[in-house]
Amino acid sequence: MSAATLKLIRLAPAGLAALLGDEPAAARHEAFARAYPGVLGAACFGNAERWPLLAEAAPELPLAPASMARLVRVSERSDQLDDASFEIWQCDATDLITRTHGSLRYRFSESAGIVFGSVSMQEAQAGNASATGATPLERVTYAAYESIFHVLDALGMRHPLRIWNVVPAINAEQFGSERYLQFNTGRQRAFQAFGRPVVDSVPAASALGAPVPIDGNAPSATPLVVSFLAMRTASEAIENPRQVSAYRYPAQYGPSAPTFARAAVWRDVRGPSQAPMLFVSGTASIVGHETVHCGDAPAQLRETLANFDAILGEAARKGHGEWALSDLTYKIYVRDPCDLDLLAAIDDTLRARCGSPLRALYLHADICRSDLLLEIEASAGHGVEVCA
């Protein structure tokens, strides 16, 4: 890896436990650092009782907790399969520094011009709906992004490349509107307040729902979590010719359009001959701006993959190389964790298109539109190591 090249490591807690053994805390920390030098940060999925293992092994890391159960096909279930997973981002910079800013923890390399961070905030911190109409979720979203942009500006790494948002109860109605719409308003306000564009040159992103209960207008007990990768130099946004850009959605989708690109490509300006990195945002069964195939999960899967083909084709048209589905590493979100036929269909279809091994992590999540049954995101152009 060069200093600005990333590697994604998918690691099960059982594999991490085997690496660390029964050594005392200091020795465990050293063992992790030897095995995985240059780690920027990580996201934690599945059984939350397993997450402290990584926090104890690498206490300096920013960790993004995602309250989403890990899903697997019935044919692949066994007593040995872990019910949690860590996604760890690594680079080979040797000057990594960890800092905090309020609820935000971030780790960066000045030499590589890269930063990973995660902020976790409770809506209760925002209080009740204000006289201006801003809901607790809208205000806590604004606060989370405010802290992110403050840090990025201070570091001189102003350009978010990829943002992951985990919004509790994303489809629930509160204070007269869907919570996803409130999130979009808070996010867009922060982008505008910190001089970021809200159209065209926007980052790749996803906003998935942590499937948790919520009581009336009470704040969620599960925090909003926003994690990100950002760079000193800008990426190029890629749109999908089959879809209206999300930031140009009509007003029927809420007062503030979603602020993200369908994908983003980043190339190290210090090494222009290097292959670029590609991040495909959360992608679903939407054509134009409308959901298609409502209630038909297999058809939604086919439409989602057609959108992937279109995005990859647009990236090629813009001169970023020929990407195939087999080049991608996937994260797949499914609304109904009991729909085992859908899990099998997704897996079979992707294996038929991509071959083996298929690099995919399946998670139970709510999708940003209540009529969407699945969403898929992906990335390529970075190293990959799957240990789970």
Side-chain angles (χ1 to χ4, degrees), residues 6-60:
L6 291 172
K7 182 177 182 179
L8 174 62
I9 302 164
R10 282 187 174 154
L11 179 63
L16 179 57
L19 170 70
L20 301 176
D22 296 324
E23 298 294 332
R28 291 158 70 89
H29 179 67
E30 292 173 2
F32 181 84
R34 284 195 304 271
Y36 301 108
V39 171
L40 285 162
C44 306
F45 303 99
N47 183 357
E49 294 180 359
R50 313 294 301 282
W51 299 348
L53 185 65
L54 180 57
E56 293 164 4
E60 75 283 3

Side-chain angles (χ1 to χ4, degrees), residues 1-5 37-40 90-96 107-114:
M1 294 182 293
S2 71
T5 299
V39 171
L40 285 162
Q90 180 188 39
C91 70
D92 68 356
T94 58
D95 60 338
L96 292 171
R107 189 163 167 84
F108 69 97
S109 164
E110 184 67 31
S111 65
I114 186 171

Side-chain angles (χ1 to χ4, degrees), residues 162-347:
R162 182 62 165 93
I163 303 177
W164 295 268
N165 303 280
V166 181
V167 184
I170 196 170
N171 301 131
E173 296 274 334
Q174 282 191 320
F175 303 102
S177 67
E178 186 184 45
R179 283 168 57 83
Y180 178 53
L181 307 187
Q182 299 170 28
F183 165 81
N184 281 334
T185 297
R187 172 170 60 177
Q188 187 182 91
R189 284 181 51 229
F191 268 74
Q192 292 169 329
F194 282 82
R196 264 65 177 188
V198 295
V199 299
D200 299 326
S201 300
V202 291
S206 54
L208 278 300
V212 296
I214 200 163
D215 183 15
N217 287 335
S220 171
T222 301
L224 169 74
V225 179
V226 184
S227 56
F228 62 91
L229 280 165
M231 303 293 195
R232 183 175 289 120
T233 56
S235 59
E236 181 177 354
I238 304 294
E239 292 301 316
N240 180 351
R242 303 181 77 239
Q243 296 177 316
V244 173
S245 296
Y247 47 75
R248 299 197 188 280
Y249 277 174
Q252 71 193 74
Y253 297 101
S256 304
T259 309
F260 72 93
R262 300 299 181 185
V265 172
W266 183 85
R267 190 187 297 270
D268 189 348
V269 296
R270 299 171 303 171
S273 62
Q274 292 183 350
M277 286 188 289
L278 170 72
F279 288 86
V280 180
S281 300
T283 302
S285 182
I286 296 172
V287 177
H289 58 75
E290 297 179 333
T291 301
V292 294
H293 312 301
C294 293
D296 186 341
Q300 287 198 11
L301 171 61
R302 292 191 296 272
E303 203 69 65
T304 300
L305 294 181
N307 282 327
F308 261 85
D309 289 334
I311 291 168
L312 298 183
E314 184 67 5
R317 190 188 69 80
K318 287 194 165 191
H320 298 300
E322 298 287 339
W323 303 92
L325 292 180
S326 57
D327 297 320
L328 306 182
T329 299
Y330 297 91
K331 198 144 68 236
I332 300 166
Y333 305 96
V334 177
R335 181 180 293 277
D336 181 1
C338 299
D339 192 344
L340 303 181
D341 290 339
L342 175 58
L343 289 176
I346 295 172
D347 203 75

